[in-house]
Amino acid sequence: MTSSPAEPSDLLAPLDLAFWHIETAEHPMHLGALGVFEADGPDAAERATALLAERAADVPGLRMRIRDVWLPAGGARRVPMPAFDALEHVRVALPAVDFHATAGELMQRPLDRDRPPWEAHVLPGADGGSFAVLFKFHHALADGLRALTLGAALLDPVDLPAARPRPAGPPAPAASRSPLPNPRGLPGLARAAVTELGRALGIGASVARAGLGVRSCAALTSSATGTRRTAGIVLDLDDVHQVRKAVGGTVNDVFIAVVAGALRRWLDERGDGSEGVEPRALIPVSRRRPRTAQPPGNRLSGYLVRLPVGDDPLARLRGVRAAMDRNKEAGPERGAGAVALLAEHVPPLGHRLGGPVVAQAARLLFDVLVTSVPLPGIGLRLGGSPLAEVYPFAPLARGQSLAVAVSTYRGRAHYGLVADAAAVPDLELLARSVRDELEALVAVCASPRDGVRQVTGLVTGP
């Protein structure tokens, strides 16, 4: 059904439209997060269900559905859902022995596009000592930070510390030479058009160069089936900081290098072989300021990094750090990873008609998604039950077999892995490889008297 023309503030942004139109029944485009809570009583899961439904009714962003509009042609907007019933979005599953087994089945089910595109599934623990909640938000509704804001509104209220002033950013890098005219010498509208065209052409050229001379990783871009499985692993954040301090760089560099090493171990152990493989990892970069809930929708760019699967653990980390430093020097609006920004150059009707074509192109752009979602350092609760673990899940585009997301929470790093169940039946092996890679990094960075710290907390699906 098509609604009347929309106010500009209601319209989906170009990237929101892209996510909305590339979705298919076999390849849903929703984010997820599996939170595991310590039950504070036998009725904890029941109370959590009632609280989620009650609070969801008071969150305006969760009452909005997405409807097509006449103008602009091909556009869509968010509109309030008539007779919104939160109980249609908050559901209770049967008691689960393995939360990840159930989460995988739920992640493969598309959201109802006729209703506000989100769900919360309460999973009671079979032992009664814990329960989990799987949150699902469509990527057209929210990026990672926006989803965090919406999810936090459903948990128990907390007093967040005041935001710190943001320091001034580094000066913009010098513009590279271009065959296009110098924009400074042109009138306003023409100058803007040439600038945008130059940026689009630069990103397109970078995408083309990124795919040259790289051995494709069939295990990551095989024919996907639309089935899903999830796994999660918890690492000690002190170990991550120990490695970072020894080698330099950022915590995120260590997170990415751990994925690179885990892929090497996984490919070799499953018999595919890692020699000559350089998976292209897309690292999303948020263009939204922290703790900013508005405007809704996606504010994303990205970096593209060839993961150094070969060599030893330290060489992999140094390679990741060098690649990320180059990306940051260029900025999030340049390079192949900024391909998401090309959505801004496509008219709404182009997104609607070209969605199926764009959906097929993901495997040509990158092999694996590696993203991080920040969480507040304070303890979170739902109905008084403390949040013990939280695993973020990213969507899989057509042709993609694996996505990795990382969240830090209360001194631990939680890796959430989503995979096509048929293409990656051994996801638990990859999860164990994440743990093994960090142990290897700690071993080479620690002094002999320190030894290797024990990294625990493996949780996987079946």
Side-chain angles (χ1 to χ4, degrees):
M1 180 177 180
T2 303
S3 66
S4 59
E7 293 295 330
S9 60
D10 295 328
L11 291 172
L12 294 190
L15 190 53
D16 300 344
L17 269 178
F19 285 127
W20 189 245
H21 288 307
I22 67 175
E23 179 177 65
T24 65
E26 295 77 22
H27 299 88
M29 294 303 296
H30 51 253
L31 310 167
L34 180 67
V36 180
F37 296 84
E38 299 174 1
D40 65 347
D43 62 340
E46 181 180 347
R47 286 187 286 110
T49 304
L51 280 173
L52 289 171
E54 177 185 346
R55 292 168 179 172
D58 295 328
V59 180
L62 297 180
R63 303 172 63 94
M64 309 297 284
R65 62 176 175 170
I66 296 175
R67 310 300 287 167
D68 295 335
V69 297
W70 288 110
L71 294 173
R77 67 169 177 173
R78 300 176 184 85
V79 298
M81 177 72 183
F84 173 75
D85 185 357
L87 289 175
E88 295 179 345
H89 299 263
V90 180
R91 302 165 185 176
V92 183
L94 295 174
V97 175
D98 188 325
F99 293 138
H100 279 281
T102 305
E105 296 173 358
L106 294 172
M107 283 295 292
Q108 72 188 36
R109 300 178 188 175
L111 295 165
D112 188 341
R113 292 169 69 92
D114 290 327
R115 296 175 178 170
W118 69 274
E119 292 174 352
H121 296 266
V122 180
L123 316 178
D127 60 359
S130 63
F131 68 92
V133 179
L134 175 67
F135 295 99
K136 294 167 58 177
F137 297 100
H138 199 286
H139 220 326
L141 177 69
D143 55 18
L145 287 176
R146 172 69 176 170
L148 173 62
T149 301
L150 293 172
L154 302 178
L155 301 180
D156 294 353
V158 295
D159 294 325
L160 294 176
R164 297 178 180 177
R166 292 173 60 84
S176 57
R177 292 187 177 182
S178 170
L180 297 172
N182 185 347
R184 295 182 179 179
L186 299 175
L189 291 178
R191 180 167 64 245
V194 170
T195 299
E196 291 301 302
L197 177 60
R199 184 175 68 159
L201 291 175
I203 294 172
S206 297
V207 170
R209 290 193 299 270
L212 298 176
V214 180
R215 176 187 158 193
S216 177
C217 187
L220 300 178
T221 55
S222 58
S223 298
T225 64
T227 57
R228 296 289 181 270
R229 66 190 299 119
T230 72
I233 187 165
V234 183
L235 305 180
D236 190 336
L237 198 55
D238 285 344
D239 292 336
V240 176
H241 283 296
Q242 180 180 345
V243 173
R244 179 191 62 80
K245 292 176 181 178
V247 181
T250 68
V251 166
N252 201 44
D253 293 342
V254 180
F255 288 157
I256 299 169
V258 165
V259 173
L263 288 174
R264 174 189 174 92
R265 296 168 185 272
W266 175 65
L267 289 170
D268 288 344
E269 190 162 343
R270 77 196 313 249
D272 289 339
S274 61
E275 184 177 356
V277 175
E278 286 186 291
R280 294 162 298 172
L282 180 64
I283 316 295
V285 178
S286 176
R287 299 162 66 202
R288 184 190 303 281
R289 292 190 175 187
R291 299 178 186 164
T292 299
Q294 299 294 335
N298 288 273
R299 298 293 182 270
L300 292 173
S301 181
Y303 297 141
L304 200 65
V305 174
R306 291 187 183 182
L307 297 180
V309 170
D311 302 319
D312 61 84
L314 283 183
R316 286 193 287 271
L317 177 52
R318 293 189 180 105
V320 165
R321 179 186 176 187
M324 288 296 289
D325 285 347
R326 288 192 297 270
N327 275 303
K328 293 172 185 176
E329 183 178 358
E333 297 189 357
R334 301 180 64 87
V339 65
L341 300 183
L342 295 181
E344 299 174 3
H345 300 272
V346 178
L349 187 59
H351 285 294
R352 178 175 295 183
L353 300 179
V357 176
V358 174
Q360 298 281 357
R363 71 172 68 193
L364 303 177
L365 301 175
F366 61 94
D367 301 307
V368 60
L369 181 75
V370 183
T371 185
S372 60
V373 182
L375 288 176
I378 57 177
L380 301 175
R381 294 174 179 268
L382 177 58
S385 296
L387 177 64
E389 304 167 16
V390 56
Y391 303 96
F393 300 135
L396 292 180
R398 183 183 296 273
Q400 301 295 321
S401 300
L402 175 69
V404 181
V406 190
S407 282
T408 55
Y409 176 65
R410 308 209 75 182
R412 300 195 296 175
H414 295 74
Y415 277 71
L417 287 72
V418 178
D420 183 276
V424 188
D426 54 350
L427 189 60
E428 66 279 0
L429 172 60
L430 180 58
R432 287 196 296 270
S433 298
V434 169
R435 176 199 59 199
D436 294 342
E437 180 65 12
L438 182 59
E439 287 183 344
L441 279 168
V442 170
V444 296
C445 292
S447 64
R449 65 182 181 185
D450 289 335
V452 180
R453 295 177 57 88
Q454 183 65 34
V455 183
T456 61
L458 177 64
V459 184
T460 66

